[in-house]
């Protein structure tokens, strides 16, 4: 079974590209990339991958409500079953989340519920934990609080730097996210 998804990204988009390359294994077809800034490198990746992209520029909207209206308009052009967040650095409103209830999935670079928020990798590194990881979860109205779908641990070795940890986290994300999506979309979670 293949599910039609929209991927939302704010930055580099390496997870978006990974999902695009592994879409068959993940059981998804990416209909559109939604980026919240024209500077998001993810948009360039979409061009290269021949995936439609829409920039809904957050800075062009007065507030969250208007921004989300822009997102809804963009999505209405496509047949979307799930929204897959991949480095999307905006907090969606409860209203938006409710309208896509149980159909928004996020990737977070820590073992939730530890190190929520924007800097999950750095916060874990600075805290000095010896094990961190990656979480895939449903999005609910809280910040990084939705039901957990899958997790994978990453060991922080004594000689790891923030950069080496970032690399390990990303490699783990590239494995876990497609696998977790496949599980969810086959309704096994
Ligand atoms: C990923 O590490 C993802 O887990 C993280 O942003 C990065 C995006 O990288 N997401 C969050 O921190 C969400 N709170 P990418 O743009 O190269 O895919």
């Amino acid at each position: 079974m293949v599910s039609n998804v929209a991927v939302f990204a704010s930055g580099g988009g390496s997870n978006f590209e990974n999902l695009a390359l592994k879409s068959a294994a993940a059981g998804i077809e990416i209909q559109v990339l939604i980026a919240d800034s024209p500077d998001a490198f993810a948009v360039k990746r979409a061009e290269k991958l021949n995936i439609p992209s829409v920039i809904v520029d957050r800075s062009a909207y007065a507030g969250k409500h208007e921004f989300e209206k822009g997102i809804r308009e963009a999505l209405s052009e496509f047949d979307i079953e799930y929204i897959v967040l991949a480095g999307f650095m905006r907090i969606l409103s409860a209203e938006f989340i409710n309208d896509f209830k149980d159909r928004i999935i996020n990737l977070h670079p820590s073992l939730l519920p530890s190190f929520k928020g924007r800097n999950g990798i750095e916060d874990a590194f600075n805290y000095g934990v010896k094990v961190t990881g990656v979480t895939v979860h449903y999005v609910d109205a809280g910040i990084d609080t939705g039901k957990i779908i899958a997790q994978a641990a990453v060991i922080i070795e004594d000689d790891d730097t923030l950069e080496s940890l970032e690399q390990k986290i990303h490699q783990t994300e590239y494995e876990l996210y497609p696998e977790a999506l496949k599980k969810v979309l086959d309704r096994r979670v």
Side-chain angles (χ1 to χ4, degrees):
M1 199 185 69
V2 175
S3 302
N4 286 344
V5 308
V7 177
F8 287 19
S10 300
S14 70
N15 278 283
F16 157 65
E17 178 162 343
N18 178 62
L19 289 176
L21 297 175
K22 294 187 180 167
S23 59
I28 60 172
E29 200 168 289
I30 303 176
Q31 302 296 311
V32 61
L33 169 78
I34 304 283
D36 64 358
S37 157
D39 302 329
F41 187 70
V43 175
K44 298 260 182 314
R45 296 188 198 259
E47 270 166 34
K48 208 179 71 192
L49 291 158
N50 276 321
I51 293 174
S53 63
V54 180
I55 298 165
V56 184
D57 186 354
R58 178 64 183 85
S59 64
Y61 294 89
K64 184 178 288 206
H65 183 74
E66 292 80 1
F67 170 59
E68 290 183 349
K69 196 164 165 244
I71 294 179
R72 287 169 196 270
E73 276 165 17
L75 291 178
S76 70
E77 302 290 319
F78 300 88
D79 178 20
I80 300 297
E81 299 170 82
Y82 287 87
I83 293 173
V84 172
L85 308 183
F88 186 67
M89 296 303 190
R90 306 276 170 196
I91 309 293
L92 294 163
S93 70
E95 189 191 0
F96 187 95
I97 290 164
N98 204 40
D99 288 350
F100 291 90
K101 203 167 167 29
D102 298 331
R103 294 192 295 133
I104 309 178
I105 296 164
N106 186 41
L107 172 69
H108 185 78
S110 76
L111 287 181
L112 290 174
S114 292
F115 308 113
K116 295 174 178 147
R118 297 180 72 86
N119 302 307
I121 305 175
E122 196 173 347
D123 290 347
F125 184 79
N126 289 339
Y127 195 94
V129 292
K130 302 297 176 199
V131 182
T132 182
V134 172
T135 301
V136 177
H137 65 97
Y138 287 104
V139 174
D140 69 7
I143 296 176
D144 299 325
T145 52
K147 183 178 178 228
I148 291 174
I149 294 164
Q151 290 187 307
V154 171
I155 305 291
I156 304 180
E157 307 286 357
D158 289 345
D159 60 354
D160 266 321
T161 60
L162 178 57
E163 290 67 34
S164 68
L165 177 61
E166 280 167 353
Q167 280 182 17
K168 289 204 277 195
I169 292 281
H170 291 313
Q171 288 309 320
T172 305
E173 292 179 329
Y174 301 154
E175 296 297 317
L176 187 71
Y177 211 8
E179 274 172 30
L181 287 174
K182 176 76 181 147
K183 259 205 271 181
V184 171
L185 302 178
D186 284 349
R187 308 287 191 279
R188 277 186 271 142
V189 168

